[in-house]
């Protein structure tokens, strides 16, 4: 099936029944201090003024050479923004702040163990550490401009240091979420062609110091089997000078960064003058086929977009302490912990561990201690905090002026708790809808200008012009109350440039569906297909309903059903696997896994466990199924297609609908008995 085809399991039908909510308005105090209060920004960034309107964002950056063409569409839909411009992201995030702000904290690091206390890294210290590590990467690891390197790092300050050191050299970083398994990391090493892996020995998760180095061994072994040799593994130490993992270091391959760094003390590395369209990083994301897609983000366009949106949507100002709880292993962390905030000279908070460890008040204590006033998290975390400690926020003396929600639709109920309890009724909320592919926000309210509406992301961002198509390609009128496929009519600087090494897949997945002319060089002919379903209300606010392709959003992490299914199929006894999303009150969705065995094999608890373990090994714990159901047969259409919609209805205890047209309708009742017992 083509990636852009609509599947039968559309979440759209479920959510359209949500009722419209009333507006909430920002306080006058908030408006008085906001970065963006000029309503004419929507006009300035209207389609009539496209693409020149984005000069405003580019001008927030320092360029070595100013660009001469704002948007080059000659290779549409692979666009080049700010062409002719020369720029360096590391310079923009660090060096340019030194003259006035070298003593300002760039990163507040919060280790998970309570006894470790906070670390505050100034811009000057960040400068020194990034330079020294960049020298090591260049001279010891032999990395140079245009090379790709894989990072598999946890939430420790060495992660942004590594990213910024790569950016300084023009080396493309590809950070793999630390919670992913070694095998998942291997796939990304192979696809990106990395011959260096940068990792850490250990990190804390819920009070346990996890051995992370073991994943590197698995990753290198698998990558080698798949034809990608890794020459060096650079290992940061959670406790410098001490090795906290059990797996032995491999002689000649594995190196402790802290040992090698001694040779680079005091080293300074001139930032590379990168072309605006040179890749800055890859971020892999799940698709409908097993192979993850390496979203390739550029330098000038991406940085301009995340800097502008951090300033106007996150409202980051010099005095603020900004805490985004995401993991830097995801796009949110790249754009809105590292690049956007640092380009704005913010103080950004990084927390190593679990928000509710060791108790549900932890997050609010961190906020109180650091005097955080801008807070950014996902509905899944909000739901967990609400469940475990609904009254905790009131016990702590912090005050947020601004809060973000990102990653999944937020239920109005949960939004209201977030507003009243976490925000103490004072903070404004922005519900930011966007994707790995889009680099930055697509829809959101502007905090001082557009009122909030629980459950709705808001209108398109200035300069972003969404449109909803139905399945046959007609545009749905505003306020139709009907769900459709939300697309963006125009390109924007933050959008990814292509899928790494696979331009055809990029075009097929994101553009072919509503393309008006495949040979066109005019951006108007290439609407960007987001893959989400949405409804637009009368007021132009968009409510995002979920994915139209089969990607499951677990705790804000995007997992391809196909990825999980193919992991299950690694187990020799398994014939068929089908994954369906089950509603979960904290995680949002959880995968339920249905398995049919090859003939001659019997279902057993043991086998179910093996399948479960295999998925954790292949992908990571976040993909762990709620339950592995070993069934006699899958419900199938006459053409042999597994009916995931029916399985989904059984798992969620909703109506399975008419199943009489199936090849084997009797199996539905049997599975129902088993699952709904
Ligand atoms: C979903 C995360 C509703 C959506 C930044 C999208 C959202 C996918 C929201 C991208 C939101 C993200 N409201 N749904 N505010 N934000 N999504 O690539 O389905 O990890 O397509 O990027 O998350 O997930 P990704």
């Amino acid at each position: 099936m083509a990636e852009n085809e609509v599947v039968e399991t559309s979440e759209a039908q479920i959510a359209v029944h949500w009722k419209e909510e009333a507006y909430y308005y920002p306080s006058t105090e908030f408006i008085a201090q906001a970065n963006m209060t000029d309503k004419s920004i929507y006009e300035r960034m209207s389609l009539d003024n496209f693409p020149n309107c984005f000069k405003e964002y580019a001008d927030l950056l320092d360029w070595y050479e100013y660009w001469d063409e704002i948007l080059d569409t000659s290779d549409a839909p692979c666009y080049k923004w700010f062409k002719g411009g020369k720029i360096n992201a590391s310079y923009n995030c660090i060096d340019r702040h030194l003259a006035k702000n070298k003593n300002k904290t760039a990163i507040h690091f919060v280790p998970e163990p309570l006894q470790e206390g906070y670390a505050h890294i100034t811009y000057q210290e960040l400068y020194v550490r990034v330079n020294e590590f960049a020298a090591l990467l260049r001279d010891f690891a032999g990395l140079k401009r245009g090379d790709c390197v894989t990072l598999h790092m946890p939430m420790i300050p060495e992660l942004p240091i590594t990213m910024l050191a790569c950016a300084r050299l023009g080396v493309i970083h590809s950070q793999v979420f630390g919670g992913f398994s070694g095998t998942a990391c291997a796939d990304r090493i192979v696809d990106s062609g990395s011959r260096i892996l940068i990792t850490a020995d250990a990190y804390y998760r819920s009070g346990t110091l996890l051995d992370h180095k073991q994943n590197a061994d698995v990753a290198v072994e698998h990558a080698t089997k798949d034809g990608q040799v890794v020459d060096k593994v650079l290992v940061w130490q959670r406790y410098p000078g001490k090795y906290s993992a059990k797996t032995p270091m491999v002689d000649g391959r594995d190196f402790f960064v802290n040992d090698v760094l001694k040779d680079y003390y005091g080293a300074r590395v001139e930032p590379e003058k990168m072309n605006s369209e040179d890749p800055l990083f890859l971020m892999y994301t799940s698709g409908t086929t097993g192979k993850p897609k390496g979203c390739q983000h550029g330098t000038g366009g991406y940085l301009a977009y995340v800097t502008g949106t951090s300033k106007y949507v996150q409202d980051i100002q010099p005095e603020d302490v900004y805490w985004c709880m995401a993991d830097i292993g995801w796009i949110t962390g790249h754009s809105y912990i590292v690049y956007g905030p640092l380009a704005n000279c913010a103080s950004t908070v990084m927390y190593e561990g679990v928000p509710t460890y060791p108790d549900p008040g932890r997050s609010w204590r961190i906020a109180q201690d650091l005097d955080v006033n801008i807070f950014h998290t996902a509905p899944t975390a909000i739901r967990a905090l609400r469940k475990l400690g609904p009254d905790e926020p009131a016990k702590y003396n912090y005050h947020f002026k601004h809060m973000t929600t990102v990653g999944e639709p937020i239920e109005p109920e949960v939004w209201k708790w977030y507003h009243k309890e976490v925000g103490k009724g004072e903070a404004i909320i922005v519900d930011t809808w966007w994707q790995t592919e889009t680099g930055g926000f697509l829809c959101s309210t502007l905090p001082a200008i557009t009122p909030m509406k629980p459950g709705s992301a808001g209108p398109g961002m200035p300069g972003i012009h969404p449109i909803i198509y139905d399945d046959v390609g007609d545009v749905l009128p505003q306020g139709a109350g009907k769900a459709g496929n939300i697309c963006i009519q125009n390109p924007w600087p933050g959008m990814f440039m292509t899928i790494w090494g696979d331009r055809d897949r990029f075009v097929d997945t994101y553009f072919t569906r509503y393309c008006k002319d495949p040979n066109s060089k005019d951006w108007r002919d290439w609407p960007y297909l987001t893959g989400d379903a949405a409804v637009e209300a009368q007021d132009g606010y968009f409510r995002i309903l979920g994915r139209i392709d089969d990607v499951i959003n677990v705790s804000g992490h995007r997992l391809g059903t196909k990825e999980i299914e193919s992991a299950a199929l690694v187990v020799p006894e398994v014939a068929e696997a089908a994954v369906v999303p089950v509603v979960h009150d904290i995680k949002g969705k959880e995968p339920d896994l249905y398995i049919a065995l090859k003939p001659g094999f019997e279902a057993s608890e043991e086998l179910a466990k093996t399948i479960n373990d295999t998925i954790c090994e292949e992908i990571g714990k976040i993909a762990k199924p709620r339950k592995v159901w070993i069934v006699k047969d899958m419900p199938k259409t006459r053409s042999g297609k597994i009916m995931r919609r029916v399985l989904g209805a059984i798992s969620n205890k909703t109506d399975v609908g008419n199943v009489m047209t199936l090849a084997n309708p009797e199996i539905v009742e049997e599975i129902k008995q088993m699952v709904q017992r």
Side-chain angles (χ1 to χ4, degrees), residues 305-344:
Y305 196 66
V306 298
T307 305
T309 50
S310 293
K311 182 162 181 175
Y312 300 139
V313 181
Q314 301 302 112
D315 198 51
I316 295 176
Q317 300 182 34
E319 307 74 28
D320 294 329
V321 181
Y322 168 86
W323 181 16
C324 171
M325 245 194 209
D327 192 293
I328 296 177
W330 307 111
I331 192 70
T332 304
H334 273 50
S335 299
Y336 298 113
I337 297 178
V338 181
Y339 287 112
L342 294 180
N344 278 293

Side-chain angles (χ1 to χ4, degrees), residues 331 407-409 431-436 532 544 547 553 558:
I331 192 70
E408 313 157 67
D431 180 346
T432 58
W433 168 68
W434 60 296
Q435 311 176 299
T436 303
D532 280 332
I544 309 300
R547 316 254 337 143
N553 201 326
R558 218 166 127 181

